[in-house]
Amino acid sequence: MLLSSRRAGLLWEILLLVQAGKTLGDAHSLCLEFTVKSQCRPGQPWGEVQGSVDEKPFLQYDSNSNKVRPLGVLGEKVNATKAWMDLTQTLGEVGRDLRMILPVIKLEKKGTRGLRTMQVKLSCQREAERRTGASWEFSIEGQTALFDTMTMNWTVVDPGARGIKEEWENHQELAKHFRKISAGDCNHWLREFLEHWEKLLEPTEPPLKAPDTHQSSSMWIIIASVLIGSVLICLVLIGVIIVKCRRRSYDPSSEVSSLDCEKVMLDQPLVAKPDS
């Protein structure tokens, strides 16, 4: 019984690890990180964007050229697609909208007057051929607020960032447009790009968390350790069982032999003394 429960527990742990690897291996995310400045020096861009899929960079954009530059193999694979063209146009529009609203956002924590930098992160996730997440993260001078497009809920991380939430609530049309981008367009771009990236992402997709290959190796080490440990336990238990069986097969025979001897001795007639 002890052996069965132990083996069942070990097998359950292995199944959980394998299933976790499969689940996370099917999940993908697209992230667009904007940096927008209210003012900039001549010749320097007021806006920049870094794009990544599963934390792997694939595009870069700056406001001076108003063009998206592909990065690496992933970027080169999709830079001629329609989704890429749509994304290029949208990045420019979003950057200009953010720059327009940046100066009027009121923060409780006062910073450098007239000079502001806003970091904005657009993220969307897909798993099992469906959308599983979409959000915007706004940060100005260290004051951060999050908007979850799926639940339509705001999270003001820093108290001084309440002005970010209030400003978006005052611009309903712009807020509606940004919700459409995160929940609709972002998910569409990711789906279209994944059709071209599927073969490129699979070999380097770690089972537990992309793209950390160290964690992938650790998971397989854990699985191997569990398997080796279970095999050793089974071998030890089998050895114990064999030894016990041999002892049992030997002891009864010994007992029978001694009993037989005693029986023979008891059955012998007593020798009568001769009559005098």
Side-chain angles (χ1 to χ4, degrees), residues 40-60:
C40 60
R41 295 178 181 179
Q44 291 186 345
W46 54 261
E48 296 178 316
V49 184
Q50 296 285 337
S52 61
V53 58
D54 297 345
E55 301 182 12
K56 301 173 184 176
F58 77 99
L59 70 81
Q60 188 175 44

Side-chain angles (χ1 to χ4, degrees), residues 255-269:
E255 292 175 0
V256 171
S257 299
S258 60
L259 289 173
D260 289 345
C261 292
E262 292 178 2
K263 184 178 180 182
V264 170
M265 292 176 65
L266 293 172
D267 291 342
Q268 292 294 327

